[in-house]
Amino acid sequence: MVATKKIFAIVLAGGEGKRLMPLTADRAKPAVPFAGQYRLIDFALSNLINSGFTQIVVLTQYKSHSLDRHVSQTWRLSGLLNSYVASVPAQQRLGKRWFSGSADAILQSLNLIRDEKPDIVVVVGADHVYRMDFRDMVQAHIDSGRGATVAAIRQPIELSDQFGVIQLDKDDPTKIAEFLEKPINAEGLADAPHEVLASMGNYVFNTDALIDAVTGDGERTNSNHDMGGDIVPDFVSRGDAGVFDLKNNKVPGSTDRDRYYWRDVGTIDSFFEAHQDLISTLPIFNLYNSEWPIFSQQLNSPPAKFVRDGKGNLGRVVDSIVSLGSLISGAHIERSVLGAWANVESGAQVVDSVLFDRVVVGPDATVKRAILDKEVIVEDGAAIGVDHDRDRARGFTVTDSGLTVVGKGVRVTR
Ligand code: ADQ
């Protein structure tokens, strides 16, 4: 039935991502690099494309240059069959104001929906790591006959204040009875008191119902700017919102391990943990599922190369991901993810770390439990993540869990 409906997809990609600073100092959160060769937005876009949805707009706003460039260079669909991924910046179409929230971004972009005249609009966030076949969700939405469907996954109760929390109807467990955006005190699930059912920030709407909701006067909530804070609660209050639990999703090539995987990488710690997931021997999230590929930029780069150094030291690379263009010479790399064109020199150690593109780690330097943004240079013998007081004194961010983050292009001296 999905095939007979015309589907239009909107990717909300204007968020600021304050909690990922300094990684978002210069780029929107969806443009933050992930797993060496990807950007966060590649996961949402790959899921949409693999689901067969090929009319996609990406609504951008905050520091959108890097994101626009990535979308326009990487996500070029054929011009045939009216397929596209178009990056659309905030344009002040409704007066002199930028988007004041995710629903306002849709309101200000209604011309895009009206031009395409879809039956159904799929709205997804741009900053999560997961695999999802949206066809299953759209089918469940159509079968339900409701105006809106919210994708959901169980999460630990202590994270409730970061998510929209869903209570299901007692008589009809496909219907949402209550939706609280980021509650301080959430009630646990009856069968799992330490978990809640969280909104994944992905929605399916009947086109007319979505247009009515974002153009409405927001009477109930005094605002209609935010999807999770205003629009979804409005549908729920009218008894017109259903749920799609990710556990009902079947992605081709998925295993039992990664079928129910979804990571909100909104904080430095969760961003780091998602990388740790990838480098384990049997990762929960499998980047190598060729039946549901995660697409990204095609780097025009040579392969990664590992050589002994001038003194004949072999070095060692284990439990790590090393991207194209990298050159590792007699260095020790363990439990780390290296972006493209990393250069790690003789006697250097990179352990439990994430390096973005074009990072240089000089001879005998040490990098431990650190995230180094693009083009960071760690000079000969310098250390990061070893003395946190010194890291802070040098202006680096150190999280409560002891991760050091060095911003783009910084030169780290001894
Ligand atoms: P948050 O992610 O905190 O919670 P929000 O900041 O509105 O909500 O971001 C949602 C998406 O919209 C992100 O992809 C963001 O980039 C984008 N966005 C935000 N402001 C925007 C703007 N002005 N223009 C364009 N895009 C914008 C949401 C839901 C919760 C749900 C979590 C799941 O509100 O209910 O649980 O996502 O992570």
Side-chain angles (χ1 to χ4, degrees):
M1 211 193 314
V2 172
T4 64
K5 297 282 182 186
K6 182 166 160 100
I7 291 157
F8 182 68
I10 296 179
V11 180
L12 296 167
E16 217 175 310
K18 283 200 195 98
R19 291 171 304 156
L20 273 180
M21 285 293 265
L23 305 177
T24 45
D26 218 18
R27 53 172 91 82
K29 183 171 160 190
V32 170
F34 187 80
Q37 293 182 188
Y38 304 86
R39 306 282 190 132
L40 288 179
I41 195 172
D42 293 332
F43 293 86
L45 288 174
S46 298
N47 286 329
L48 289 168
I49 297 283
N50 287 328
S51 299
F53 303 164
T54 54
Q55 293 184 325
I56 304 171
V57 290
V58 177
L59 302 185
T60 68
Q61 167 155 282
Y62 171 84
K63 294 190 176 158
S64 58
H65 171 64
S66 159
L67 182 58
D68 283 343
R69 200 181 43 197
H70 175 71
V71 170
S72 56
Q73 288 179 355
T74 302
W75 291 92
R76 280 171 301 180
L77 304 188
S78 149
L80 300 173
L81 306 173
N82 197 20
S83 298
Y84 54 85
V85 178
S87 172
V88 183
Q91 299 174 65
Q92 301 199 342
R93 279 176 176 268
L94 299 178
K96 288 198 178 305
R97 62 184 176 89
W98 300 111
F99 299 153
S100 56
S102 49
D104 188 45
I106 296 178
L107 175 66
Q108 293 204 40
S109 310
L110 281 184
N111 59 310
L112 304 168
I113 300 178
R114 290 193 169 119
D115 285 351
E116 288 295 354
K117 301 182 186 57
D119 302 300
I120 283 174
V121 182
V122 175
V123 178
V124 304
D127 36 29
H128 299 104
V129 177
Y130 67 113
R131 272 197 173 80
M132 182 163 175
D133 188 338
F134 287 109
R135 286 171 297 196
D136 290 348
M137 182 173 173
V138 170
Q139 189 63 60
H141 171 82
I142 294 168
D143 294 345
S144 78
R146 298 195 179 97
T149 301
V150 180
I153 184 169
R154 288 174 178 231
Q155 291 288 295
I157 197 165
E158 59 273 16
L159 301 181
S160 325
D161 61 353
Q162 298 177 27
F163 299 122
V165 172
I166 293 169
Q167 296 285 351
L168 297 176
D169 190 282
K170 295 212 165 38
D171 301 321
D172 179 355
T174 67
K175 181 175 165 186
I176 302 179
E178 189 181 44
F179 185 96
L180 295 172
E181 179 73 349
K182 303 177 184 163
I184 308 292
N185 291 315
E187 211 179 301
L189 292 167
D191 64 349
H194 301 296
E195 290 181 337
V196 291
L197 192 59
S199 160
M200 297 166 62
N202 293 340
Y203 318 99
V204 176
F205 296 99
N206 293 342
T207 304
D208 293 345
L210 175 63
I211 293 177
D212 281 354
V214 296
T215 53
D217 57 10
E219 241 171 48
R220 201 184 66 80
T221 53
N222 297 321
S223 148
N224 54 6
H225 292 167
D226 197 39
M227 294 303 286
D230 309 306
I231 302 299
V232 174
D234 276 354
F235 275 96
V236 172
S237 69
R238 282 184 264 115
D240 198 23
V243 72
F244 178 76
D245 193 320
L246 192 70
K247 75 173 191 284
N248 296 321
N249 197 232
K250 287 174 196 60
V251 172
S254 265
T255 62
D256 285 343
R257 292 177 72 76
D258 71 1
R259 189 156 290 142
Y260 206 58
Y261 182 90
W262 177 81
R263 276 270 189 191
D264 177 38
V265 283
T267 62
I268 293 291
D269 284 338
S270 60
F271 180 78
F272 181 78
E273 282 160 20
H275 280 89
Q276 294 302 106
D277 288 346
L278 290 176
I279 54 180
S280 54
T281 313
L282 278 176
I284 308 169
F285 190 83
N286 175 18
L287 282 174
Y288 303 86
N289 175 358
S290 56
E291 291 179 56
W292 197 267
I294 306 300
F295 301 105
S296 189
Q297 57 189 333
Q298 295 297 307
L299 288 171
N300 187 12
S301 305
K305 187 174 180 185
F306 305 83
V307 296
R308 68 191 73 207
D309 64 15
K311 295 174 228 145
N313 296 320
L314 284 178
R316 189 168 119 98
V317 181
V318 64
D319 295 337
S320 294
I321 289 173
V322 180
S323 303
L324 291 176
S326 295
L327 188 52
I328 314 297
S329 163
H332 178 96
I333 295 174
E334 194 167 344
R335 293 187 302 277
S336 294
V337 176
L338 275 54
W341 295 89
N343 185 354
V344 187
E345 299 189 42
S346 170
Q349 281 196 49
V350 177
V351 179
D352 291 322
S353 294
V354 178
L355 276 48
F356 289 4
D357 289 1
R358 295 184 190 274
V359 168
V360 177
V361 182
D364 301 318
T366 304
V367 178
K368 278 199 176 140
R369 280 184 61 76
I371 300 174
L372 310 185
D373 203 330
K374 189 174 163 182
E375 290 163 4
V376 165
I377 297 175
V378 186
E379 289 189 347
D380 302 12
I384 299 172
V386 175
D387 177 346
H388 287 153
D389 291 337
R390 176 125 202 273
D391 287 349
R392 279 191 204 94
R394 290 187 286 189
F396 306 151
T397 301
V398 180
T399 67
D400 292 345
S401 64
L403 286 166
T404 302
V405 190
V406 182
K408 186 170 156 187
V410 170
R411 179 176 277 271
V412 181
T413 54
R414 274 180 94 132

